[in-house]
């Protein structure tokens, strides 16, 4: 069954389940709410989580043994390492990590399941990813559907912009960076619906039954604010 087949995810999950069980049983990993976790698997993306370099080596060794026994090949060139350090240990030396006797590269940020994860646990790169996607989708809609009726444009706008993928996970960012998402959202709306500069979009949002981006920002800031205890 080739990649993209309907049954491919089910077959992959069944095939890799033994590795997941093996990793769970070793009891090496990071403790979260008294539960030890050491890996995340989604489709063909596998993430190993460990509290120390020695734990990483142990877990990767188990992955290598599984691969050799089950005709699986882990791609060293596409495997990246990221180290999360508290500020007081920012200068701590981290030894190299090997996979199949090949050194793995360390990165400060990496995209995982469509979101950009940063080693400093900040979300600004992912917010800018969202801004870029907003403008890309917005320019497409404006170029193709600008002359359609407001009813059609409202349906399209809600379909493409109502949900901001991953925004509910944003918790550490500067307000100036977050505001870029709001500005992009409003700019696209203005151009698509022909709202002139200097004219408030509030009435237009109400008339078209579209929530302004501020509705989502309030939810994010109240629920996910890093200053909230």
């Amino acid at each position: 069954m080739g990649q993209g087949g309907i049954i491919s995810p089910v077959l992959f999950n069944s095939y890799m389940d033994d590795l997941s069980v093996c990793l769970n049983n070793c009891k090496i990993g990071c403790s979260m709410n008294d539960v030890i976790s050491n890996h995340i698997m989604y489709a063909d993306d596998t993430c190993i989580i460990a509290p120390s370099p020695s734990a990483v080596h142990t877990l990767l060794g188990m992955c290598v043994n599984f691969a050799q026994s089950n005709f699986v090949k882990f791609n060293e060139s596409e495997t990246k390492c990221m180290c999360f350090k508290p500020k007081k240990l920012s200068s701590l030396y981290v030894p190299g990590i090997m996979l199949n006797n090949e050194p793995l590269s360390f990165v400060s940020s990496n995209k995982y399941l469509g979101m950009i994860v940063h080693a400093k646990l900040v979300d600004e790169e992912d917010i800018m990813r969202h801004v870029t996607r907003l403008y890309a989708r917005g320019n497409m809609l404006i170029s193709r559907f600008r002359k359609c009726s407001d009813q059609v444009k409202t349906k399209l706008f809600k379909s493409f912009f109502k949900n901001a993928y991953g925004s509910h996970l944003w918790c550490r960012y500067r307000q100036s960076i977050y505001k870029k998402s709001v500005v992009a959202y409003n700019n696209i709306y203005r151009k698509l619906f022909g709202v002139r500069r200097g004219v408030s979009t509030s009435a237009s949002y109400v008339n078209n039954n579209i929530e302004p981006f501020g509705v989502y920002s309030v939810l994010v800031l109240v629920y996910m604010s890093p200053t909230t205890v």
Side-chain angles (χ1 to χ4, degrees), residues 33 58 82 104 129 219:
N33 296 326
T58 299
M82 188 180 298
L104 299 178
R129 169 197 63 82
L219 290 173

Side-chain angles (χ1 to χ4, degrees), residues 46 48 75-82 104-107 109-110:
T46 300
I48 298 297
N75 192 330
E76 301 89 1
S77 63
E78 295 185 5
T79 302
K80 309 298 180 183
C81 294
M82 188 180 298
L104 299 178
S105 58
F106 276 81
V107 296
S109 65
N110 194 53

Side-chain angles (χ1 to χ4, degrees), residues 81-188:
C81 294
M82 188 180 298
C83 183
F84 301 92
K85 304 177 186 177
K87 286 186 178 180
K88 61 182 179 180
L89 297 177
S90 59
S91 60
L92 180 69
Y93 170 74
V94 178
I97 304 296
M98 308 283 286
L99 177 62
N100 293 325
N101 296 319
E102 293 290 337
L104 299 178
S105 58
F106 276 81
V107 296
S108 60
S109 65
N110 194 53
K111 183 178 287 188
Y112 182 67
L113 301 181
M115 291 192 63
I116 298 178
V117 181
H118 199 282
K120 293 184 178 180
L121 299 177
V122 293
D123 302 302
E124 296 183 353
E125 282 192 35
D126 195 63
I127 292 175
M128 293 309 300
R129 169 197 63 82
H130 176 63
V131 172
T132 300
R133 289 179 60 84
L134 278 177
Y135 279 117
R137 293 195 300 265
N139 290 333
M140 181 273 292
L141 290 182
I142 292 167
S143 64
R144 297 182 183 181
F145 304 102
R146 193 171 190 174
K147 296 182 179 181
C148 292
S149 67
D150 283 356
Q151 183 179 5
V152 172
K153 288 188 285 189
T154 296
K155 181 67 173 179
L156 290 169
F157 193 88
K158 287 184 175 181
S159 299
F160 280 84
F161 299 105
K162 186 174 182 179
N163 295 318
Y165 174 73
S167 62
H168 60 289
L169 297 176
W170 297 341
C171 61
R172 297 185 65 186
Y173 49 82
R174 289 170 292 173
Q175 287 299 309
S176 59
I177 298 297
Y178 180 79
K179 190 176 180 180
K180 292 180 182 293
S181 292
V182 182
V183 172
Y185 185 91
N186 290 336
N187 284 344
I188 293 165

Side-chain angles (χ1 to χ4, degrees), residues 204-215:
S204 182
Y205 281 136
V206 172
N207 289 336
N208 292 314
N209 193 27
I210 295 176
E211 294 93 348
F213 197 88
V215 172

